[in-house]
Amino acid sequence: MRRFQFAIFVQNILSMNETQFIPKLYTKKPENGSVSWQSPSNIALVKYWGKYGEQLPKNASISFTLNNCVTKTTLFYERKSSHGFEFEVYLDNTREVGFEPKIHKFFERVVLYLPFLTDYKFRIETSNSFPHSSGIASSASGMSALSLCLLSVEKSLSSVEMTDAYFNQKASFLARLGSGSASRSIEGDLIVWGEHPNIEGSSNLFGIKYPYTIHKNFLNYQDTILLVDKGEKQVSSTVGHDLMYDHPFAEQRFEQANNNLSFLISIFENGDLSKFIKIVESEALSLHAMMMTSQPYFILMKPNTLEIINYIWAFRNETGSKVCFTLDAGANVHVLYPEAEKEPVLEFIKKELAQFCKNGGFIEDQSGFGAVSV
Ligand code: DP6
């Protein structure tokens, strides 16, 4: 096949996949109603950093879905006859016009897959279980909760049966178009997003449940989030991902991430926590290394982030514990450890690490099983 024919062939396959999310004609026209979903945040073990096209990842990523850090969203809808999108967003009962441009952009991206968006006006009421100022990103939980609400509305407009598998896949597909990492917040407890040669069924379009054996060491994996810096994000994820475009180490980084995910497959199977730690911490530091070596460059860790990392390493050396850390694109530290170590590690956190957190603040969480309709 010639090169350009091959490109068209690939494009057709891709659009075939996307077409499955365009609904058949709606058969019902409810005047109004409301739906509610509660959706969790997630913490990536192999990081998504760098994207192309319409919210497609440059490498595959994997995350633990969280249990306690959640967004609850209620979507009220009312039929209208005017054209275009009409909606208002409320955070904790207060109108948040600041969120609306992002939602508008999201509506533009998904209207092909949710054509009823122009037939209704919406009131989006949302609240987070974690404080807004905690520096914990709400885009994953927020965009997944909104996507689930919208898809529930669509379900009520159609007499065509939607299987749970299709519902979850389309919800993840929509959530991805709102925020990449949100595609990993529909189900749990381990979710892969991004095509990976060794993971069957993996896709750039949506997240899937990790399909292979998971050793009991990884059940109810603990994540205590240390709130080092509660301020606004220094680098938005959009700006951050863009830094990977001309990055001198971009290709090596994407390859490294995919290799790390390959290594994790046998680690998840045999429960080797020492090897798990090496991959997870290296991923966190590589993500930050990418930001330090981009143009412009950023240091997103704070002195207390480093203090915490050093304390974790010392504790591990002294006690043989399997506690480790990971980081998002910010200064907060996610302390990860097996459920069997919950008591001693929590005591260590309270005694030694809380001193490095703003007002001693941290959030206790663990892996969970995804969004619920409420
Ligand atoms: C560092 O999903 O927030 O948390 O797709 O632009 O909304 P957008 O980016 P976003 O990026 C998350 C980056 C990360 C790593 C990860 O969660 O995989």
Side-chain angles (χ1 to χ4, degrees), residues 42-51 55 61-63 102 109 137 139-140 143 175-184 193 233 236-239 241 287 291 327-330:
N42 66 72
I43 180 66
L45 305 170
V46 172
K47 309 288 179 180
Y48 147 60
W49 200 243
K51 56 181 164 182
Q55 291 286 101
S61 57
I62 188 164
S63 51
K102 193 164 180 192
R109 278 189 189 149
S139 67
M143 282 299 179
R176 182 201 101 234
L177 289 165
S179 179
S181 55
S183 67
R184 300 188 310 239
W193 169 46
K233 270 196 187 172
S236 75
S237 42
T238 313
V239 172
H241 288 286
L287 170 74
M291 285 180 256
L327 308 164
D328 267 343

Side-chain angles (χ1 to χ4, degrees), residues 150-196:
L150 291 169
L151 199 52
S152 286
V153 176
E154 180 164 276
K155 212 173 164 182
S156 70
L157 303 181
S158 169
S159 25
V160 181
E161 195 53 39
M162 237 191 242
T163 62
D164 286 350
Y166 178 83
F167 186 90
N168 286 336
Q169 206 170 79
K170 181 164 177 180
S172 173
F173 171 83
L174 296 170
R176 182 201 101 234
L177 289 165
S179 179
S181 55
S183 67
R184 300 188 310 239
S185 273
I186 305 295
E187 297 179 89
D189 51 349
L190 266 177
I191 301 292
V192 178
W193 169 46
E195 223 169 291
H196 190 283

Side-chain angles (χ1 to χ4, degrees), residues 309-324:
I309 291 174
N310 282 318
Y311 267 70
I312 289 174
W313 286 348
F315 181 76
R316 221 158 59 204
N317 275 340
E318 282 157 22
T319 65
S321 161
K322 301 297 182 202
V323 64
C324 74

Side-chain angles (χ1 to χ4, degrees), residues 110-128:
V110 298
V111 67
L112 175 64
Y113 309 103
L114 299 170
F116 70 88
L117 280 180
T118 50
D119 298 336
Y120 289 88
K121 73 172 178 197
F122 301 96
R123 182 184 164 99
I124 303 162
E125 287 187 0
T126 188
S127 61
N128 299 324

